[in-house]
Amino acid sequence: MGPQTRSPLLNPPQEPAKARPRDGWIYYVKTDGHYKIGFAQNVAARMKAYPPTSELLAQHRGTLDDETAIHRRFAAHRVAGREWFSMAPEITAYIDGVITVHGRCIDVFRK
C-alpha cells in the first residue's frame, strides 16, 4: 500500500446516520404540575409513556425545528431536561392559543 492508500481495517466505512423524523406533531401534556412540550409522529403511542393522570392538552402538525423554537421561547421556564416546563402563565396562554386555533384534544389516549 502506498502512503496515500489507507487500509479499510483502519478506516472502516461509516454507517449512514439514521435520519430523525422531520414532520409530525407538536404536543402539549400536563402532568405532575408541569407541562411537557414534545414532538412525535404518533402521539397516541407516545402518550403511553406518561403516567395515566397525564392530560393531552393540545397538538398540531409541526417539525423538530418547530419544537426546538418553542423550547427556546420558553427556556427560562424549564424545570427538568429539555422538554419539561413549569406551568408559567406565558406557557399556559400559549397552549390556550394553540387550543383556540387547533381545538382541544379529546382524551382518547388514556391507558
Side-chain angles (χ1 to χ4, degrees):
M1 260 186 252
Q4 294 185 2
T5 306
R6 292 193 158 174
S7 166
L9 296 176
L10 296 177
N11 295 305
Q14 299 292 319
E15 297 223 6
K18 290 186 179 180
R20 293 187 345 162
R22 301 293 301 165
D23 295 319
W25 296 91
I26 308 296
Y27 65 91
Y28 306 83
V29 171
K30 182 169 74 172
T31 188
D32 297 329
H34 297 99
Y35 289 130
K36 160 76 171 186
I37 301 171
F39 172 86
Q41 288 190 306
N42 183 333
V43 176
R46 186 69 183 103
M47 286 301 295
K48 292 178 182 177
Y50 299 113
T53 56
S54 301
E55 181 183 0
L56 177 63
L57 301 172
Q59 66 182 24
H60 58 84
R61 297 296 292 174
T63 66
L64 286 169
D65 291 339
D66 297 331
E67 179 202 30
T68 298
I70 296 165
H71 288 171
R72 285 184 182 140
R73 177 177 181 169
F74 297 121
H77 302 292
R78 277 198 178 97
V79 292
R82 65 180 190 88
E83 298 184 338
W84 292 93
F85 300 87
S86 68
M87 294 179 65
E90 299 93 321
I91 300 175
T92 301
Y94 182 85
I95 294 171
D96 287 345
V98 171
I99 292 168
T100 298
V101 172
H102 298 284
R104 181 168 289 281
C105 292
I106 299 172
D107 194 5
V108 296
F109 303 113
R110 288 225 179 216
K111 297 178 185 176

